[in-house]
PDB file of all heavy atoms in Angstrom:
ATOM      1  N   PRO A  20      12.797  14.477   5.182  1.00  0.00           N
ATOM      2  CA  PRO A  20      12.062  13.507   4.356  1.00  0.00           C
ATOM      3  C   PRO A  20      11.895  13.932   2.896  1.00  0.00           C
ATOM      4  O   PRO A  20      11.412  13.141   2.093  1.00  0.00           O
ATOM      5  CB  PRO A  20      10.701  13.452   5.052  1.00  0.00           C
ATOM      6  CG  PRO A  20      10.502  14.834   5.570  1.00  0.00           C
ATOM      7  CD  PRO A  20      11.865  15.303   5.985  1.00  0.00           C
ATOM      8  N   LYS A  21      12.288  15.169   2.550  1.00  0.00           N
ATOM      9  CA  LYS A  21      12.109  15.645   1.173  1.00  0.00           C
ATOM     10  C   LYS A  21      13.447  16.130   0.651  1.00  0.00           C
ATOM     11  O   LYS A  21      14.055  17.042   1.206  1.00  0.00           O
ATOM     12  CB  LYS A  21      11.070  16.782   1.124  1.00  0.00           C
ATOM     13  CG  LYS A  21      10.676  17.205  -0.279  1.00  0.00           C
ATOM     14  CD  LYS A  21       9.987  16.085  -1.027  1.00  0.00           C
ATOM     15  CE  LYS A  21       9.589  16.522  -2.440  1.00  0.00           C
ATOM     16  NZ  LYS A  21       9.029  15.398  -3.214  1.00  0.00           N
ATOM     17  N   THR A  22      13.913  15.526  -0.415  1.00  0.00           N
ATOM     18  CA  THR A  22      15.229  15.841  -0.956  1.00  0.00           C
ATOM     19  C   THR A  22      15.198  17.138  -1.765  1.00  0.00           C
ATOM     20  O   THR A  22      14.171  17.516  -2.328  1.00  0.00           O
ATOM     21  CB  THR A  22      15.732  14.710  -1.868  1.00  0.00           C
ATOM     22  OG1 THR A  22      14.799  14.542  -2.944  1.00  0.00           O
ATOM     23  CG2 THR A  22      15.831  13.403  -1.112  1.00  0.00           C
ATOM     24  N   ARG A  23      16.363  17.798  -1.807  1.00  0.00           N
ATOM     25  CA  ARG A  23      16.502  18.971  -2.682  1.00  0.00           C
ATOM     26  C   ARG A  23      16.423  18.544  -4.142  1.00  0.00           C
ATOM     27  O   ARG A  23      15.870  19.257  -4.981  1.00  0.00           O
ATOM     28  CB  ARG A  23      17.850  19.665  -2.424  1.00  0.00           C
ATOM     29  CG  ARG A  23      18.007  20.245  -1.042  1.00  0.00           C
ATOM     30  CD  ARG A  23      19.339  20.989  -0.911  1.00  0.00           C
ATOM     31  NE  ARG A  23      20.468  20.128  -1.190  1.00  0.00           N
ATOM     32  CZ  ARG A  23      21.073  19.389  -0.274  1.00  0.00           C
ATOM     33  NH1 ARG A  23      20.635  19.402   0.973  1.00  0.00           N
ATOM     34  NH2 ARG A  23      22.110  18.640  -0.581  1.00  0.00           N
ATOM     35  N   GLN A  24      17.023  17.386  -4.445  1.00  0.00           N
ATOM     36  CA  GLN A  24      17.003  16.855  -5.790  1.00  0.00           C
ATOM     37  C   GLN A  24      15.643  16.212  -6.066  1.00  0.00           C
ATOM     38  O   GLN A  24      14.964  15.761  -5.148  1.00  0.00           O
ATOM     39  CB  GLN A  24      18.095  15.793  -5.967  1.00  0.00           C
ATOM     40  CG  GLN A  24      19.467  16.191  -5.459  1.00  0.00           C
ATOM     41  CD  GLN A  24      19.704  15.820  -3.994  1.00  0.00           C
ATOM     42  OE1 GLN A  24      18.766  15.774  -3.195  1.00  0.00           O
ATOM     43  NE2 GLN A  24      20.960  15.567  -3.642  1.00  0.00           N
ATOM     44  N   LYS A  25      15.254  16.159  -7.315  1.00  0.00           N
ATOM     45  CA  LYS A  25      14.121  15.326  -7.684  1.00  0.00           C
ATOM     46  C   LYS A  25      14.516  13.882  -7.414  1.00  0.00           C
ATOM     47  O   LYS A  25      15.633  13.464  -7.744  1.00  0.00           O
ATOM     48  CB  LYS A  25      13.760  15.508  -9.161  1.00  0.00           C
ATOM     49  CG  LYS A  25      13.195  16.882  -9.511  1.00  0.00           C
ATOM     50  CD  LYS A  25      11.785  17.059  -8.962  1.00  0.00           C
ATOM     51  CE  LYS A  25      11.204  18.388  -9.398  1.00  0.00           C
ATOM     52  NZ  LYS A  25       9.845  18.610  -8.833  1.00  0.00           N
ATOM     53  N   LEU A  26      13.610  13.105  -6.832  1.00  0.00           N
ATOM     54  CA  LEU A  26      13.937  11.736  -6.443  1.00  0.00           C
ATOM     55  C   LEU A  26      12.959  10.751  -7.058  1.00  0.00           C
ATOM     56  O   LEU A  26      11.745  10.848  -6.843  1.00  0.00           O
ATOM     57  CB  LEU A  26      13.913  11.584  -4.920  1.00  0.00           C
ATOM     58  CG  LEU A  26      14.110  10.164  -4.367  1.00  0.00           C
ATOM     59  CD1 LEU A  26      15.486   9.620  -4.736  1.00  0.00           C
ATOM     60  CD2 LEU A  26      13.911  10.139  -2.850  1.00  0.00           C
ATOM     61  N   VAL A  27      13.525   9.791  -7.813  1.00  0.00           N
ATOM     62  CA  VAL A  27      12.780   8.630  -8.273  1.00  0.00           C
ATOM     63  C   VAL A  27      13.293   7.443  -7.479  1.00  0.00           C
ATOM     64  O   VAL A  27      14.479   7.122  -7.524  1.00  0.00           O
ATOM     65  CB  VAL A  27      12.970   8.382  -9.784  1.00  0.00           C
ATOM     66  CG1 VAL A  27      12.246   7.103 -10.203  1.00  0.00           C
ATOM     67  CG2 VAL A  27      12.479   9.571 -10.593  1.00  0.00           C
ATOM     68  N   HIS A  28      12.416   6.808  -6.735  1.00  0.00           N
ATOM     69  CA  HIS A  28      12.824   5.685  -5.888  1.00  0.00           C
ATOM     70  C   HIS A  28      12.131   4.434  -6.384  1.00  0.00           C
ATOM     71  O   HIS A  28      10.894   4.345  -6.363  1.00  0.00           O
ATOM     72  CB  HIS A  28      12.457   5.951  -4.425  1.00  0.00           C
ATOM     73  CG  HIS A  28      13.113   5.013  -3.455  1.00  0.00           C
ATOM     74  ND1 HIS A  28      12.841   4.998  -2.102  1.00  0.00           N
ATOM     75  CD2 HIS A  28      14.060   4.033  -3.640  1.00  0.00           C
ATOM     76  CE1 HIS A  28      13.576   4.074  -1.512  1.00  0.00           C
ATOM     77  NE2 HIS A  28      14.307   3.481  -2.424  1.00  0.00           N
ATOM     78  N   ILE A  29      12.937   3.460  -6.829  1.00  0.00           N
ATOM     79  CA  ILE A  29      12.420   2.178  -7.296  1.00  0.00           C
ATOM     80  C   ILE A  29      12.830   1.117  -6.288  1.00  0.00           C
ATOM     81  O   ILE A  29      14.017   0.945  -5.997  1.00  0.00           O
ATOM     82  CB  ILE A  29      12.968   1.825  -8.689  1.00  0.00           C
ATOM     83  CG1 ILE A  29      12.624   2.930  -9.700  1.00  0.00           C
ATOM     84  CG2 ILE A  29      12.423   0.484  -9.159  1.00  0.00           C
ATOM     85  CD1 ILE A  29      13.227   2.710 -11.075  1.00  0.00           C
ATOM     86  N   HIS A  30      11.839   0.413  -5.743  1.00  0.00           N
ATOM     87  CA  HIS A  30      12.129  -0.590  -4.718  1.00  0.00           C
ATOM     88  C   HIS A  30      11.115  -1.709  -4.825  1.00  0.00           C
ATOM     89  O   HIS A  30       9.981  -1.496  -5.269  1.00  0.00           O
ATOM     90  CB  HIS A  30      12.085   0.038  -3.329  1.00  0.00           C
ATOM     91  CG  HIS A  30      12.794  -0.768  -2.286  1.00  0.00           C
ATOM     92  ND1 HIS A  30      12.192  -1.796  -1.615  1.00  0.00           N
ATOM     93  CD2 HIS A  30      14.065  -0.694  -1.805  1.00  0.00           C
ATOM     94  CE1 HIS A  30      13.067  -2.333  -0.764  1.00  0.00           C
ATOM     95  NE2 HIS A  30      14.203  -1.680  -0.864  1.00  0.00           N
ATOM     96  N   ALA A  31      11.520  -2.900  -4.396  1.00  0.00           N
ATOM     97  CA  ALA A  31      10.646  -4.067  -4.501  1.00  0.00           C
ATOM     98  C   ALA A  31       9.528  -4.073  -3.469  1.00  0.00           C
ATOM     99  O   ALA A  31       8.532  -4.770  -3.639  1.00  0.00           O
ATOM    100  CB  ALA A  31      11.468  -5.349  -4.359  1.00  0.00           C
ATOM    101  N   SER A  32       9.678  -3.307  -2.407  1.00  0.00           N
ATOM    102  CA  SER A  32       8.713  -3.332  -1.312  1.00  0.00           C
ATOM    103  C   SER A  32       7.882  -2.062  -1.284  1.00  0.00           C
ATOM    104  O   SER A  32       8.430  -0.951  -1.197  1.00  0.00           O
ATOM    105  CB  SER A  32       9.437  -3.499   0.025  1.00  0.00           C
ATOM    106  OG  SER A  32       8.550  -3.323   1.107  1.00  0.00           O
ATOM    107  N   ALA A  33       6.571  -2.212  -1.310  1.00  0.00           N
ATOM    108  CA  ALA A  33       5.688  -1.048  -1.193  1.00  0.00           C
ATOM    109  C   ALA A  33       5.875  -0.374   0.162  1.00  0.00           C
ATOM    110  O   ALA A  33       5.773   0.862   0.275  1.00  0.00           O
ATOM    111  CB  ALA A  33       4.233  -1.485  -1.372  1.00  0.00           C
ATOM    112  N   GLU A  34       6.168  -1.170   1.207  1.00  0.00           N
ATOM    113  CA  GLU A  34       6.330  -0.609   2.541  1.00  0.00           C
ATOM    114  C   GLU A  34       7.567   0.276   2.649  1.00  0.00           C
ATOM    115  O   GLU A  34       7.635   1.158   3.510  1.00  0.00           O
ATOM    116  CB  GLU A  34       6.424  -1.736   3.583  1.00  0.00           C
ATOM    117  CG  GLU A  34       5.123  -2.491   3.819  1.00  0.00           C
ATOM    118  CD  GLU A  34       4.768  -3.446   2.699  1.00  0.00           C
ATOM    119  OE1 GLU A  34       5.663  -3.784   1.893  1.00  0.00           O
ATOM    120  OE2 GLU A  34       3.599  -3.856   2.622  1.00  0.00           O
ATOM    121  N   GLU A  35       8.555   0.035   1.783  1.00  0.00           N
ATOM    122  CA  GLU A  35       9.788   0.814   1.844  1.00  0.00           C
ATOM    123  C   GLU A  35       9.642   2.162   1.146  1.00  0.00           C
ATOM    124  O   GLU A  35      10.287   3.141   1.514  1.00  0.00           O
ATOM    125  CB  GLU A  35      10.932   0.021   1.204  1.00  0.00           C
ATOM    126  CG  GLU A  35      12.315   0.551   1.524  1.00  0.00           C
ATOM    127  CD  GLU A  35      12.632   0.479   3.007  1.00  0.00           C
ATOM    128  OE1 GLU A  35      12.215  -0.489   3.667  1.00  0.00           O
ATOM    129  OE2 GLU A  35      13.299   1.415   3.504  1.00  0.00           O
ATOM    130  N   LEU A  36       8.794   2.224   0.130  1.00  0.00           N
ATOM    131  CA  LEU A  36       8.612   3.457  -0.640  1.00  0.00           C
ATOM    132  C   LEU A  36       7.887   4.500   0.201  1.00  0.00           C
ATOM    133  O   LEU A  36       6.869   4.212   0.837  1.00  0.00           O
ATOM    134  CB  LEU A  36       7.847   3.157  -1.925  1.00  0.00           C
ATOM    135  CG  LEU A  36       8.588   2.251  -2.913  1.00  0.00           C
ATOM    136  CD1 LEU A  36       7.649   1.751  -3.993  1.00  0.00           C
ATOM    137  CD2 LEU A  36       9.784   2.978  -3.522  1.00  0.00           C
ATOM    138  N   ASN A  37       8.433   5.725   0.195  1.00  0.00           N
ATOM    139  CA  ASN A  37       7.870   6.854   0.947  1.00  0.00           C
ATOM    140  C   ASN A  37       7.857   6.613   2.456  1.00  0.00           C
ATOM    141  O   ASN A  37       7.123   7.274   3.187  1.00  0.00           O
ATOM    142  CB  ASN A  37       6.453   7.190   0.460  1.00  0.00           C
ATOM    143  CG  ASN A  37       6.442   7.675  -0.973  1.00  0.00           C
ATOM    144  OD1 ASN A  37       7.349   8.385  -1.398  1.00  0.00           O
ATOM    145  ND2 ASN A  37       5.437   7.278  -1.737  1.00  0.00           N
ATOM    146  N   ARG A  38       8.697   5.679   2.919  1.00  0.00           N
ATOM    147  CA  ARG A  38       8.797   5.434   4.357  1.00  0.00           C
ATOM    148  C   ARG A  38       9.686   6.465   5.031  1.00  0.00           C
ATOM    149  O   ARG A  38       9.326   7.037   6.057  1.00  0.00           O
ATOM    150  CB  ARG A  38       9.329   4.021   4.627  1.00  0.00           C
ATOM    151  CG  ARG A  38       9.410   3.672   6.113  1.00  0.00           C
ATOM    152  CD  ARG A  38       9.754   2.204   6.327  1.00  0.00           C
ATOM    153  NE  ARG A  38      11.120   1.904   5.938  1.00  0.00           N
ATOM    154  CZ  ARG A  38      12.169   1.987   6.775  1.00  0.00           C
ATOM    155  NH1 ARG A  38      11.997   2.396   8.019  1.00  0.00           N
ATOM    156  NH2 ARG A  38      13.379   1.666   6.372  1.00  0.00           N
ATOM    157  N   VAL A  39      10.871   6.710   4.457  1.00  0.00           N
ATOM    158  CA  VAL A  39      11.780   7.732   4.965  1.00  0.00           C
ATOM    159  C   VAL A  39      11.767   8.947   4.053  1.00  0.00           C
ATOM    160  O   VAL A  39      11.658  10.089   4.515  1.00  0.00           O
ATOM    161  CB  VAL A  39      13.216   7.180   5.091  1.00  0.00           C
ATOM    162  CG1 VAL A  39      14.176   8.271   5.552  1.00  0.00           C
ATOM    163  CG2 VAL A  39      13.247   5.997   6.053  1.00  0.00           C
ATOM    164  N   TYR A  40      11.866   8.694   2.760  1.00  0.00           N
ATOM    165  CA  TYR A  40      11.915   9.775   1.772  1.00  0.00           C
ATOM    166  C   TYR A  40      10.604   9.852   0.995  1.00  0.00           C
ATOM    167  O   TYR A  40      10.105   8.838   0.496  1.00  0.00           O
ATOM    168  CB  TYR A  40      13.071   9.546   0.790  1.00  0.00           C
ATOM    169  CG  TYR A  40      14.421   9.769   1.412  1.00  0.00           C
ATOM    170  CD1 TYR A  40      15.163   8.712   1.925  1.00  0.00           C
ATOM    171  CD2 TYR A  40      14.956  11.053   1.501  1.00  0.00           C
ATOM    172  CE1 TYR A  40      16.398   8.921   2.510  1.00  0.00           C
ATOM    173  CE2 TYR A  40      16.196  11.272   2.080  1.00  0.00           C
ATOM    174  CZ  TYR A  40      16.910  10.206   2.581  1.00  0.00           C
ATOM    175  OH  TYR A  40      18.131  10.424   3.164  1.00  0.00           O
ATOM    176  N   GLN A  41      10.069  11.039   0.905  1.00  0.00           N
ATOM    177  CA  GLN A  41       8.891  11.280   0.072  1.00  0.00           C
ATOM    178  C   GLN A  41       9.381  11.535  -1.354  1.00  0.00           C
ATOM    179  O   GLN A  41       9.809  12.627  -1.691  1.00  0.00           O
ATOM    180  CB  GLN A  41       8.089  12.471   0.597  1.00  0.00           C
ATOM    181  CG  GLN A  41       7.464  12.221   1.969  1.00  0.00           C
ATOM    182  CD  GLN A  41       6.429  11.111   1.924  1.00  0.00           C
ATOM    183  OE1 GLN A  41       5.510  11.140   1.114  1.00  0.00           O
ATOM    184  NE2 GLN A  41       6.585  10.118   2.799  1.00  0.00           N
ATOM    185  N   ALA A  42       9.339  10.491  -2.166  1.00  0.00           N
ATOM    186  CA  ALA A  42       9.888  10.574  -3.523  1.00  0.00           C
ATOM    187  C   ALA A  42       8.961  11.378  -4.434  1.00  0.00           C
ATOM    188  O   ALA A  42       7.738  11.411  -4.239  1.00  0.00           O
ATOM    189  CB  ALA A  42      10.079   9.173  -4.080  1.00  0.00           C
ATOM    190  N   ASP A  43       9.563  12.019  -5.427  1.00  0.00           N
ATOM    191  CA  ASP A  43       8.759  12.669  -6.462  1.00  0.00           C
ATOM    192  C   ASP A  43       8.071  11.627  -7.336  1.00  0.00           C
ATOM    193  O   ASP A  43       6.994  11.883  -7.880  1.00  0.00           O
ATOM    194  CB  ASP A  43       9.655  13.576  -7.311  1.00  0.00           C
ATOM    195  CG  ASP A  43      10.243  14.710  -6.495  1.00  0.00           C
ATOM    196  OD1 ASP A  43       9.572  15.736  -6.330  1.00  0.00           O
ATOM    197  OD2 ASP A  43      11.377  14.552  -5.996  1.00  0.00           O
ATOM    198  N   LEU A  44       8.708  10.459  -7.445  1.00  0.00           N
ATOM    199  CA  LEU A  44       8.109   9.343  -8.161  1.00  0.00           C
ATOM    200  C   LEU A  44       8.556   8.057  -7.474  1.00  0.00           C
ATOM    201  O   LEU A  44       9.751   7.776  -7.413  1.00  0.00           O
ATOM    202  CB  LEU A  44       8.530   9.337  -9.636  1.00  0.00           C
ATOM    203  CG  LEU A  44       8.015   8.177 -10.491  1.00  0.00           C
ATOM    204  CD1 LEU A  44       6.488   8.180 -10.559  1.00  0.00           C
ATOM    205  CD2 LEU A  44       8.620   8.230 -11.897  1.00  0.00           C
ATOM    206  N   ALA A  45       7.610   7.306  -6.944  1.00  0.00           N
ATOM    207  CA  ALA A  45       7.906   6.026  -6.298  1.00  0.00           C
ATOM    208  C   ALA A  45       7.361   4.907  -7.168  1.00  0.00           C
ATOM    209  O   ALA A  45       6.201   4.943  -7.589  1.00  0.00           O
ATOM    210  CB  ALA A  45       7.275   5.970  -4.913  1.00  0.00           C
ATOM    211  N   ILE A  46       8.222   3.939  -7.447  1.00  0.00           N
ATOM    212  CA  ILE A  46       7.845   2.817  -8.308  1.00  0.00           C
ATOM    213  C   ILE A  46       8.143   1.512  -7.576  1.00  0.00           C
ATOM    214  O   ILE A  46       9.285   1.262  -7.178  1.00  0.00           O
ATOM    215  CB  ILE A  46       8.619   2.847  -9.645  1.00  0.00           C
ATOM    216  CG1 ILE A  46       8.328   4.141 -10.416  1.00  0.00           C
ATOM    217  CG2 ILE A  46       8.277   1.623 -10.492  1.00  0.00           C
ATOM    218  CD1 ILE A  46       9.150   4.284 -11.689  1.00  0.00           C
ATOM    219  N   GLN A  47       7.106   0.691  -7.398  1.00  0.00           N
ATOM    220  CA  GLN A  47       7.330  -0.631  -6.808  1.00  0.00           C
ATOM    221  C   GLN A  47       7.641  -1.619  -7.919  1.00  0.00           C
ATOM    222  O   GLN A  47       6.820  -1.851  -8.805  1.00  0.00           O
ATOM    223  CB  GLN A  47       6.113  -1.109  -6.020  1.00  0.00           C
ATOM    224  CG  GLN A  47       6.369  -2.454  -5.344  1.00  0.00           C
ATOM    225  CD  GLN A  47       5.127  -3.045  -4.712  1.00  0.00           C
ATOM    226  OE1 GLN A  47       4.042  -2.461  -4.803  1.00  0.00           O
ATOM    227  NE2 GLN A  47       5.275  -4.195  -4.077  1.00  0.00           N
ATOM    228  N   ALA A  48       8.841  -2.190  -7.863  1.00  0.00           N
ATOM    229  CA  ALA A  48       9.247  -3.180  -8.863  1.00  0.00           C
ATOM    230  C   ALA A  48      10.435  -3.946  -8.327  1.00  0.00           C
ATOM    231  O   ALA A  48      11.303  -3.384  -7.648  1.00  0.00           O
ATOM    232  CB  ALA A  48       9.603  -2.520 -10.187  1.00  0.00           C
ATOM    233  N   THR A  49      10.478  -5.244  -8.620  1.00  0.00           N
ATOM    234  CA  THR A  49      11.667  -6.019  -8.301  1.00  0.00           C
ATOM    235  C   THR A  49      12.769  -5.655  -9.288  1.00  0.00           C
ATOM    236  O   THR A  49      12.518  -5.107 -10.369  1.00  0.00           O
ATOM    237  CB  THR A  49      11.356  -7.512  -8.382  1.00  0.00           C
ATOM    238  OG1 THR A  49      10.700  -7.793  -9.615  1.00  0.00           O
ATOM    239  CG2 THR A  49      10.458  -7.943  -7.230  1.00  0.00           C
ATOM    240  N   MET A  50      13.996  -5.960  -8.925  1.00  0.00           N
ATOM    241  CA  MET A  50      15.119  -5.463  -9.713  1.00  0.00           C
ATOM    242  C   MET A  50      15.148  -6.035 -11.130  1.00  0.00           C
ATOM    243  O   MET A  50      15.446  -5.322 -12.094  1.00  0.00           O
ATOM    244  CB  MET A  50      16.435  -5.741  -8.993  1.00  0.00           C
ATOM    245  CG  MET A  50      16.598  -4.948  -7.692  1.00  0.00           C
ATOM    246  SD  MET A  50      16.357  -3.160  -7.892  1.00  0.00           S
ATOM    247  CE  MET A  50      14.652  -2.936  -7.399  1.00  0.00           C
ATOM    248  N   ASN A  51      14.863  -7.322 -11.280  1.00  0.00           N
ATOM    249  CA  ASN A  51      14.843  -7.896 -12.628  1.00  0.00           C
ATOM    250  C   ASN A  51      13.813  -7.204 -13.502  1.00  0.00           C
ATOM    251  O   ASN A  51      14.079  -6.857 -14.659  1.00  0.00           O
ATOM    252  CB  ASN A  51      14.543  -9.400 -12.563  1.00  0.00           C
ATOM    253  CG  ASN A  51      15.770 -10.222 -12.239  1.00  0.00           C
ATOM    254  OD1 ASN A  51      16.888  -9.779 -12.431  1.00  0.00           O
ATOM    255  ND2 ASN A  51      15.558 -11.426 -11.739  1.00  0.00           N
ATOM    256  N   ALA A  52      12.622  -6.988 -12.951  1.00  0.00           N
ATOM    257  CA  ALA A  52      11.559  -6.355 -13.719  1.00  0.00           C
ATOM    258  C   ALA A  52      11.870  -4.883 -13.963  1.00  0.00           C
ATOM    259  O   ALA A  52      11.668  -4.367 -15.069  1.00  0.00           O
ATOM    260  CB  ALA A  52      10.230  -6.505 -12.986  1.00  0.00           C
ATOM    261  N   ALA A  53      12.361  -4.185 -12.943  1.00  0.00           N
ATOM    262  CA  ALA A  53      12.645  -2.757 -13.088  1.00  0.00           C
ATOM    263  C   ALA A  53      13.711  -2.504 -14.144  1.00  0.00           C
ATOM    264  O   ALA A  53      13.549  -1.655 -15.032  1.00  0.00           O
ATOM    265  CB  ALA A  53      13.091  -2.180 -11.745  1.00  0.00           C
ATOM    266  N   ALA A  54      14.815  -3.243 -14.057  1.00  0.00           N
ATOM    267  CA  ALA A  54      15.913  -3.009 -15.000  1.00  0.00           C
ATOM    268  C   ALA A  54      15.498  -3.338 -16.430  1.00  0.00           C
ATOM    269  O   ALA A  54      15.878  -2.637 -17.377  1.00  0.00           O
ATOM    270  CB  ALA A  54      17.129  -3.838 -14.586  1.00  0.00           C
ATOM    271  N   ARG A  55      14.715  -4.391 -16.590  1.00  0.00           N
ATOM    272  CA  ARG A  55      14.264  -4.747 -17.943  1.00  0.00           C
ATOM    273  C   ARG A  55      13.286  -3.716 -18.484  1.00  0.00           C
ATOM    274  O   ARG A  55      13.219  -3.493 -19.706  1.00  0.00           O
ATOM    275  CB  ARG A  55      13.658  -6.143 -17.911  1.00  0.00           C
ATOM    276  CG  ARG A  55      14.703  -7.238 -17.709  1.00  0.00           C
ATOM    277  CD  ARG A  55      14.086  -8.579 -17.358  1.00  0.00           C
ATOM    278  NE  ARG A  55      13.229  -9.092 -18.409  1.00  0.00           N
ATOM    279  CZ  ARG A  55      12.486 -10.194 -18.288  1.00  0.00           C
ATOM    280  NH1 ARG A  55      12.508 -10.879 -17.140  1.00  0.00           N
ATOM    281  NH2 ARG A  55      11.740 -10.610 -19.279  1.00  0.00           N
ATOM    282  N   SER A  56      12.512  -3.091 -17.604  1.00  0.00           N
ATOM    283  CA  SER A  56      11.627  -2.015 -18.050  1.00  0.00           C
ATOM    284  C   SER A  56      12.418  -0.772 -18.427  1.00  0.00           C
ATOM    285  O   SER A  56      12.119  -0.098 -19.420  1.00  0.00           O
ATOM    286  CB  SER A  56      10.613  -1.670 -16.949  1.00  0.00           C
ATOM    287  OG  SER A  56       9.765  -2.758 -16.666  1.00  0.00           O
TER     288      SER A  56
END
C-alpha cells in the first residue's frame, strides 16, 4: 500500500483516494478542474 516513489494521486472520487495506495499527497478533483489547476 506504500510506494517507494513519492506518490501524488489525483482522482475525482474521495472513496478511491487512499483506498489501495496511501499517497503522499491525495487530491480530490475532477479531470477538467485538476488539469486547469
Side-chain angles (χ1 to χ4, degrees):
K21 188 64 180 175
T22 60
R23 296 184 302 272
Q24 312 90 330
K25 292 288 184 182
L26 175 63
V27 176
H28 193 186
I29 303 175
H30 199 275
S32 171
E34 290 75 17
E35 195 63 36
L36 295 167
N37 295 323
R38 182 172 70 90
V39 177
Y40 288 96
Q41 294 296 307
D43 296 276
L44 177 62
I46 300 175
Q47 183 188 2
T49 50
M50 293 307 97
N51 278 339
R55 289 167 62 186
S56 297

